[in-house]
């Protein structure tokens, strides 16, 4: 394998930005070789980079003989640099092409490739994930991550504009946060430790100093089951607010969700087009349904669900069809929610918890938290957890921890809604589940 | 313990924003009680929140008898809500005070507190970390995290403006990235897995589709030793760029570092003042010293260091005193750097690696990477690593992986420079090291 040097060449343009305006300019372009066509007296290939593509046209006699020959030897998806002149060309896509003066093969690709890089021959997700580099070089999969970038920036910038401060809580933790979820154990020197399943307890404590905090970071859950909605490692976008209740954080959530939808719709229109997906910006306020109303609506539709049960995916899908999306379900049974959620004072069977759903997908969980130490100890015990184990956490409640509320948003699940991805694995660069730990 | 309800009260102002302009307005303030003084006919306390503080003044006869009595029972650092009128007061800090009409004790603090919340009585770092909530309620420790927020936002926004895309690489990984560093093993179902010590290999691969990528995320290293500069879990701010060399990424790094220093100096001047710390915005280009020149400078000063050795902390401190800071050291011995760093073509003993240092602290490591598969295999073997184990990674080099370069910046170490913190543990909310895994 021989590699030509980039030397002092640097990109002067991206392939996507070249238009008739740059006609007759000299350009150095770098990217990957796509379709190569040899029409005898004229050879073409398309060069694409992360921003778009352009046609490279080599008419015999008009380009150096050496270049004319070289084009035959280039394999698809090789990384190349091309220097040449931007030329008007009616037949070319975008009305311009590049007439090459020099081509450098920076990294020739090996043939055959494990998947069709144009995406014309469909590959299943596992094959695509095994050749993720080639997969992500295509407009459709890469559009998902450009939208992810925009959604994350919007989340952070919006919360920053509202006076929230970014926090980074530990991912190596000494104790479990919630009952039920399964933790990954770590060998942490001589101690027992786990991977954090949620920033919950830390972010609650930090409302007692910073008041309004957010975090975007990985969370880890040892989910054994294989569904389209679960992975062992995902991103969670969390907020927590002092001197606030669930109603306050539901308003923040509505604002940030609408802001994300708006920005994606307007600033990622090309990506949505590549994905052949359209989104509607939801209108505030989003519908609010009590848990009891949701149960009743499902019973009316003939579903066999009783008060106290959680909703199945098909039931959530049915609710999504009945109600305008996205929508809140509030006032959940206390026993369905974690120990730190505040029960109603007049009816402790109900809690100040909420979920935000869209289609069949649960996007967000949140609620008003307990800030009274004695009540929290009681709720720990009722959940089969030992207050002794949470002693370090409970101390904070003696130091003026304010009333507070917050939520955790599943970033990849939101991406499924924003991009139309059918499987959560499409929204993660290198997804982690029980079956897949590559590389 | 009795808790008064917040009810429908919400903050109308932050304590910090009230000035003479709001004189005679009704306000609801929420925060924590500081100094309480009883001068007989008049009682005062200061109320502080995350944004500042204000004096609450209760003159006998001018406030309800009940409120006048209540002030005596409030303990320091209790979370309270106060409703009252903003009133001009020449003697009060800021020229205004609040005359209370109603006070609600939302969460009374227990006495005695484990540390002096005013910071007047000094506490050691371990005591402070054990009562981190109280510690972070003070201006000095909290200023560090406000600056951290600003530095992270600046890093991301600057790179976004330059066309970089945010990536999130797995923290649960199947293989080690580098030799030398010690990994934390995880029980990942039936498989062997580790906590990621660097996004290095993933970000390199992703230059082959997105070209310019960045990530801010946790990295994990099982450092056994206890120094002021190391923790087991820190944040790394990484970039990687296609069709680029170390010179290109050093320019990006200079730009982003100067941008961060500028923003912190101008937008966090209050925080710098609270920390009693000043920073100078470095001038571009930053000094570039070859490894060999650095060795010579140290030898001239009488240090016993030979070519091929790494610099000790005192040697780095000495270099920082000789050269204007921050400064680059380039062209490191290949054997001192990881396998993926590109050696010089004309002298393979030297590598295209660079470090950025400031004071005695190594802030950034980066370099031009190897994009040729055969050379990478050779370097793996020379480092005692098995190409077989990196097979999944090596495949990418057959698929047109472009020439690329990048760096990783230690966020907490940069914070030490920006805030004057003497110990890296001060720059992490809940630091993780062998001795400390709380809570």
């Amino acid at each position: 394998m021989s590699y030509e040097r980039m030397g002092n060449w640097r990109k002067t343009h991206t392939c996507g930005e070249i238009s008739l305006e740059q006609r007759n300019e000299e350009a150095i372009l770098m990217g990957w070789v796509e379709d190569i066509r040899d029409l005898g007296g004229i050879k073409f290939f398309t060069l694409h980079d992360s921003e778009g593509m352009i046609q490279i046209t080599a008419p015999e006699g008009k380009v150096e003989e050496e270049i004319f020959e070289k084009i035959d030897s280039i394999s698809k998806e090789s990384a190349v640099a091309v220097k040449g002149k931007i030329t008007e060309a009616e037949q070319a896509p975008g009305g311009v092409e590049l007439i090459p003066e020099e081509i450098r093969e920076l990294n020739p690709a090996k043939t055959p490739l494990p998947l069709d890089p144009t995406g014309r021959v469909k590959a299943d997700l596992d094959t695509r994930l095994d050749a993720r580099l080639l997969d992500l070089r295509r407009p459709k999969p890469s559009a998902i991550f450009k939208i992810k970038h925009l959604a994350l920036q919007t989340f952070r910038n919006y919360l920053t504009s509202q006076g929230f401060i970014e926090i980074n809580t530990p991912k190596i933790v000494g104790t479990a946060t919630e009952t039920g979820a399964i933790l990954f154990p770590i060998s942490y020197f001589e101690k027992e430790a786990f991977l954090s399943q949620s920033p919950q307890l830390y972010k609650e404590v930090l409302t007692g100093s910073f008041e309004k905090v957010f975090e975007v970071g990985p969370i880890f859950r040892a989910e054994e089951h294989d569904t389209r909605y679960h992975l062992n490692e995902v991103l969670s976008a969390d907020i927590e607010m002092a001197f606030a209740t669930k109603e306050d954080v539901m308003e923040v959530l509505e604002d940030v969700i609408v802001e994300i939808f708006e920005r994606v719709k307007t600033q990622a229109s090309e990506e949505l087009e590549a994905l052949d997906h359209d989104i509607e910006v939801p209108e505030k306020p989003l519908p609010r349904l009590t848990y009891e109303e949701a149960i009743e609506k499902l019973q009316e539709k003939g579903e066999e669900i009783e008060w106290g049960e959680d909703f199945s995916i098909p039931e959530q899908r049915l609710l999504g069809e009945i109600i305008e999306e996205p929508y809140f379900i509030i006032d959940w049974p206390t026993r369905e929610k974690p120990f730190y959620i505040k029960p109603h004072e007049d009816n402790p069977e109900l809690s100040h918890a909420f979920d935000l759903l869209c289609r069949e997908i649960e996007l967000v969980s949140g609620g008003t938290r307990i800030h009274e130490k004695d009540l929290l100890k009681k709720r720990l015990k009722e959940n089969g957890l030992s207050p002794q184990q949470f002693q370090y956490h409970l101390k904070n409640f003696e130091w003026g921890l304010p009333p507070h509320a917050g939520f955790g948003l599943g970033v990849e699940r939101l991406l499924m809604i924003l991009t139309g991805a059918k499987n959560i694995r499409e929204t993660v660069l290198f997804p982690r589940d029980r079956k897949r730990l590559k590389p």
Side-chain angles (χ1 to χ4, degrees), chain A:
Chain A
M1 198 70 83
S2 86
Y3 303 88
E4 287 181 279
R5 301 282 155 236
M6 188 170 66
N8 59 4
W9 282 18
R10 291 296 180 277
K11 273 191 171 199
T12 57
H13 303 73
T14 66
C15 294
E17 74 182 331
I18 295 178
S19 69
L20 268 177
E21 275 179 50
Q22 286 103 14
R23 158 179 53 191
N24 298 327
E25 281 180 26
E26 284 286 320
I28 296 173
L29 306 180
M30 301 192 192
W32 297 276
V33 172
E34 219 170 69
D35 290 323
I36 306 167
R37 276 170 301 148
D38 184 346
L39 302 183
I42 189 162
K43 290 174 185 173
F44 304 93
F45 65 89
T46 44
L47 183 74
H48 70 103
D49 65 11
S50 61
E51 300 293 319
M53 51 96 82
I54 189 170
Q55 181 171 287
I56 313 290
T57 306
E60 195 173 8
K62 275 184 85 177
V63 301
E64 298 277 338
E65 182 63 22
E66 195 191 342
I67 292 178
F68 194 73
E69 296 302 321
K70 189 173 196 168
I71 291 173
D72 292 324
S73 70
I74 300 176
S75 55
K76 281 184 189 180
E77 296 304 320
S78 294
V80 302
V82 185
K83 187 178 181 175
K85 191 180 267 180
I86 300 167
T87 309
E88 190 169 350
E90 263 184 35
Q91 300 89 335
V96 278
E97 61 188 12
L98 194 85
I99 310 291
E101 289 157 20
E102 193 181 337
I103 297 175
R104 296 184 183 174
E105 275 191 87
L106 305 176
N107 200 352
K110 207 170 157 182
T111 49
L113 294 165
L115 54 83
D116 174 18
T118 66
R120 283 179 218 127
V121 182
K122 293 265 175 273
D124 66 25
L125 188 53
D126 272 311
T127 309
R128 288 172 45 202
L129 292 173
D130 279 339
R132 194 58 156 163
L133 166 57
L134 289 172
D135 182 48
L136 292 171
R137 218 175 268 165
R138 308 268 63 85
K140 209 165 171 158
S142 74
I144 292 175
F145 297 94
K146 288 175 183 170
I147 291 174
K148 197 171 192 176
H149 173 100
L150 183 57
L152 292 178
Q153 289 293 104
T154 305
F155 182 85
R156 294 193 197 97
N157 289 343
Y158 180 77
L159 290 166
T160 298
S161 77
Q162 301 300 306
F164 284 75
I165 178 172
E166 177 170 2
I167 55 168
N168 306 98
T169 63
K171 305 308 155 206
I172 299 176
V173 298
T175 45
T177 324
E178 297 173 29
T179 174
I182 305 152
L183 296 168
F184 287 114
I186 311 168
S187 309
Y188 189 78
F189 304 114
E190 60 279 11
K191 297 191 185 85
E192 182 187 55
F194 304 95
L195 281 179
S196 173
Q197 63 189 336
S198 157
Q200 184 63 34
L201 304 189
Y202 296 106
K203 68 176 180 165
E204 285 194 49
V205 170
L206 294 169
T207 63
S209 47
F210 300 116
E211 297 190 49
K212 302 202 268 186
V213 298
F214 74 87
E215 175 165 21
V216 178
I219 58 167
F220 307 89
R221 295 187 189 224
E223 313 264 10
E224 297 257 354
H225 51 299
D226 180 28
T227 84
R228 297 198 285 119
Y229 311 97
H230 291 90
L231 282 172
N232 299 137
E233 180 181 342
V234 288
L235 273 191
S236 185
D238 278 85
I239 82 156
E240 201 73 21
M241 250 177 109
F243 306 113
T245 63
K246 73 166 185 298
E247 287 76 16
D248 302 309
V249 293
M250 283 164 72
E251 281 179 28
V252 174
L253 176 56
E254 281 175 324
D255 288 343
V256 78
I257 286 280
V258 167
E259 181 86 4
I260 290 171
F261 271 75
E262 266 175 6
R263 293 218 174 220
V264 170
K265 194 170 174 79
T266 55
Q267 293 174 22
S269 54
E270 276 181 42
E271 283 74 19
L272 289 174
E273 206 177 306
L275 290 162
D276 198 17
H277 183 65
D278 195 19
I279 55 171
E280 262 182 67
V281 180
E283 273 184 40
K284 291 183 277 193
L286 303 177
R288 284 149 166 79
L289 203 67
T290 65
Y291 170 84
E292 192 161 336
E293 286 166 347
I295 293 285
E296 282 166 9
K297 279 195 191 294
L298 289 172
Q299 286 171 341
E300 279 166 25
K301 291 276 173 186
E303 290 291 313
E304 290 188 7
I305 185 167
E306 296 297 323
W307 197 95
E309 291 172 19
D310 202 355
F311 305 106
S312 67
I313 297 278
E315 283 161 356
Q316 288 175 183
R317 187 176 294 121
L318 187 56
L319 282 171
E321 285 161 13
I322 302 170
I323 309 145
E324 206 184 332
E325 310 162 312
Y327 65 99
F328 287 107
I329 300 181
I330 59 170
D331 297 339
W332 287 75
T334 301
R335 66 171 194 230
E336 281 292 310
K337 291 292 175 183
F339 69 86
Y340 47 76
I341 289 284
K342 197 181 182 80
H344 285 219
E345 278 181 60
D346 50 0
N347 179 6
E349 294 224 327
L350 284 187
S351 75
H352 287 291
F354 68 86
D355 280 5
L356 182 74
L357 291 97
C358 195
R359 282 178 10 209
E360 75 282 17
I361 301 173
E362 181 197 318
L363 290 180
V364 182
S365 279
T368 311
R369 323 304 191 178
I370 296 170
H371 69 283
E372 303 95 332
K373 188 183 175 190
D374 296 337
L375 180 56
L376 193 62
K377 277 173 81 169
K378 181 167 165 274
R379 293 288 302 135
L380 279 168
K381 284 182 207 154
E382 285 170 2
N383 278 271
L385 295 163
S386 137
Q388 181 60 29
Q389 213 193 326
F390 287 82
Q391 205 182 1
Y392 201 92
H393 180 59
L394 287 166
K395 277 197 301 181
N396 294 293
F397 292 75
E398 299 175 352
W399 299 333
L401 196 66
H404 57 283
F407 64 76
L409 180 157
V411 173
E412 286 82 3
R413 290 183 174 188
L414 176 61
L415 257 287
M416 291 179 75
I417 302 292
L418 292 172
T419 66
K422 295 281 181 285
N423 190 316
I424 195 169
R425 299 200 296 168
E426 294 179 60
T427 66
V428 173
L429 292 165
F430 302 98
R432 291 295 179 247
D433 60 32
R434 184 166 188 162
K435 287 186 297 189
R436 169 167 287 274
L437 183 67
K438 295 176 185 172

